[in-house]
């Protein structure tokens, strides 16, 4: 008995299953694939010495990263095949799931402690970082809230404060891990989404003032955060103590000069710079590829983030407001992590354990970034074709027209 797969998938078309073949936003896809490829190369280089000592195989970290990359690309394909309406309908369930994961990770016996933080749940040889999943789920839930309560958000104080009934407890769970960086990124993305959702300037300014005050209190509440804040302003005052990581990163930047020392020739990755293949991979990149390579990498990130914002703008023009808010939120998550990670590497911000999207070693971050890419590609396709809604019926003629390449 034969199965007609076309009839099975027909009610749920996707940008990779159409009558005219693959119909993707290729500029966005190309930019992200370039970052993923660069990340694989830099992980291979930055982790070779550590991998050789820890496992006896210089390519150990690269192989694991490649496995994560394959899983991530699979997640990207899966998210591209799910209608945006489905994400909107399941937003509340994702929020409950995010809370469940963040509670699980701080429970003894479930959460796995690494470097003094309970940020991972272990599954055999792999670790899952719930904060990476929670940030995306919060964006999806908040996008749904902004659509449902649009008038209330724009006109009343209650509509403005309601999201914080959800956001503040989630921020508290993140701080219990502790994961201060993820908290800042999540709250920053949420604030940006509220502003784009129509919150008045006065209320938004009040929110910013309260956020700055809260960050100040949180920094002063923990001695190690205060020490990081003091150290990063003058890391050379304690070069072999609290300022060691930053001074080694700055040395890497200095050694790179304009064109770098050459791929694979970094000295700092040889146990001078801690976390060279995770939080400080950009420093190794700057050492090996120089100022030119660093600026090209930054340009790629800027392109991808700006493209994500444009995808949100196109969805908004197509009156697909939920999709637009999701695109804005995901873009702001990338922008926040990018700015903080680069700022830490060059000494403009205190040291934080945030990965660089698409580049750093880390399974959860890489897979979630790829899934977010899939969401953005789906949003762009739905806004351009006005297809993809579960309430619509499709025929073969819907896919016979030539795509609009005006973007």
């Amino acid at each position: 008995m034969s199965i007609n797969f076309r009839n099975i998938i027909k009610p749920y078309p996707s940008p990779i299953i159409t009558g005219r073949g693959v119909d993707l936003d290729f500029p966005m896809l190309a930019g992200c694939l370039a970052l993923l490829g660069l990340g694989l190369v830099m992980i291979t280089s930055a982790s070779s010495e550590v991998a050789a000592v820890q496992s006896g195989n210089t390519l150990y970290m690269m192989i694991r990263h490649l496995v994560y990359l394959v899983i991530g690309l699979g997640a990207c394909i899966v998210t591209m095949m799910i209608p945006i309406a489905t994400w909107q309908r399941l937003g509340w369930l994702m929020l409950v799931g995010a809370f469940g994961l963040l509670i699980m990770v701080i429970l003894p016996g479930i959460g796995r402690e690494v470097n003094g933080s309970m940020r991972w749940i272990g599954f055999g040889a792999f670790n899952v970082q719930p904060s990476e999943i929670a940030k995306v789920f919060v964006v999806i839930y908040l996008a749904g809230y902004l659509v449902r309560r649009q008038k209330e958000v724009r006109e009343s104080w209650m509509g403005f404060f309601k999201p914080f009934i959800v956001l503040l407890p989630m921020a508290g769970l993140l701080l219990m891990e502790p994961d201060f960086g993820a908290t800042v990124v999540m709250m920053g993305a949420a604030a940006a989404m509220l502003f784009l959702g129509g919150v008045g300037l006065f209320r938004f300014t009040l929110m910013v003032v309260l956020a700055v005050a809260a960050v100040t209190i949180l920094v002063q509440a923990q001695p190690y955060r205060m020490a990081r804040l003091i150290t990063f302003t003058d890391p050379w005052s304690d070069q072999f103590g609290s300022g060691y990581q930053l001074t080694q990163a700055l040395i890497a930047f200095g050694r790179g000069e304009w064109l770098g020392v050459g791929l694979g020739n970094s000295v700092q990755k040889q146990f001078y710079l801690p976390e060279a293949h995770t939080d400080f991979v950009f420093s190794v990149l700057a050492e090996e590829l120089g100022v030119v390579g660093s600026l090209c990498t930054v340009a790629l990130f800027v392109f991808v983030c700006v493209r994500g914002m444009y995808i949100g703008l196109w969805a908004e023009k197509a009156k697909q407001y939920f999709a637009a808010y999701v695109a804005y939120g995901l873009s702001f998550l990338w922008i926040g992590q990018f700015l903080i990670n680069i700022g830490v590497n060059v000494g403009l911000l205190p040291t934080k354990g945030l990965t660089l999207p698409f580049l750093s070693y880390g399974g959860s971050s890489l897979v979630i970034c790829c899934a977010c890419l899939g969401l953005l590609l789906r949003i762009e396709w739905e806004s351009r074709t006005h297809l993809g809604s579960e309430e619509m019926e499709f025929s073969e003629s819907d896919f016979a027209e030539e795509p609009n390449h005006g973007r």
Side-chain angles (χ1 to χ4, degrees), residues 87-281:
W87 296 101
Q88 184 174 5
R89 189 171 60 251
L90 299 178
W92 68 272
L93 191 59
M94 293 179 183
L95 183 69
V96 173
F99 271 108
L101 288 171
L102 292 179
I103 291 172
M104 286 174 61
V105 78
I106 59 177
L107 294 178
I110 298 179
R112 184 173 290 182
E113 184 174 348
V114 179
N115 294 332
S117 298
M118 297 278 286
R119 300 180 186 176
W120 293 267
I121 297 176
F123 293 93
F126 299 95
N127 291 329
V128 174
Q129 192 169 359
S131 60
E132 295 290 338
I133 303 172
K135 287 184 293 186
V136 177
F137 285 3
V138 164
V139 165
I140 293 173
Y141 174 80
L142 187 56
Y145 173 82
L146 290 173
V147 171
R148 293 191 307 272
R149 306 286 185 179
Q150 188 176 63
K151 185 177 180 180
E152 190 177 355
V153 168
R154 293 180 176 182
E155 297 179 1
S156 72
W157 283 93
M158 186 57 65
F160 168 67
F161 281 118
K162 278 182 180 178
F164 292 97
I165 299 175
V166 171
L167 292 172
L168 292 178
M170 188 163 288
L173 289 172
L174 287 171
L175 291 172
M176 290 176 68
E177 296 182 9
D179 195 344
F180 187 67
T183 306
V184 171
V185 170
M186 183 191 74
M187 297 299 286
M193 290 175 68
L194 286 169
F195 180 72
L196 293 175
V199 170
L201 185 59
F202 175 74
R203 280 175 286 166
F204 181 77
T205 303
L206 177 63
M207 177 175 60
V208 171
V209 171
L210 292 175
V212 171
V215 169
T216 303
I217 293 171
L218 289 171
V219 168
Q220 294 178 345
Q222 293 291 339
Y224 78 93
R225 291 185 190 134
M226 199 65 190
R228 285 180 177 179
L229 184 64
I230 295 172
T231 300
F232 100 97
T233 58
D234 185 16
W236 302 101
S237 63
D238 192 10
Q239 181 180 350
F240 299 104
S242 57
Y244 178 78
Q245 200 167 22
L246 179 54
T247 56
Q248 296 303 313
L250 295 176
I251 290 171
F253 277 93
R255 292 192 75 255
E257 298 184 350
W258 286 102
L259 298 177
V261 297
L263 191 61
N265 294 327
S266 168
V267 172
Q268 295 305 105
K269 70 180 182 183
Q270 299 178 11
F271 305 101
Y272 291 102
L273 178 61
E275 309 296 337
H277 59 294
T278 54
D279 302 342
F280 283 85
V281 68

Side-chain angles (χ1 to χ4, degrees), residues 362-378:
S364 297
S365 175
L366 187 64
V367 172
I368 292 300
C369 281
C370 291
C372 291
L373 170 61
L375 264 173
L376 288 170
L377 292 174
R378 176 82 195 195

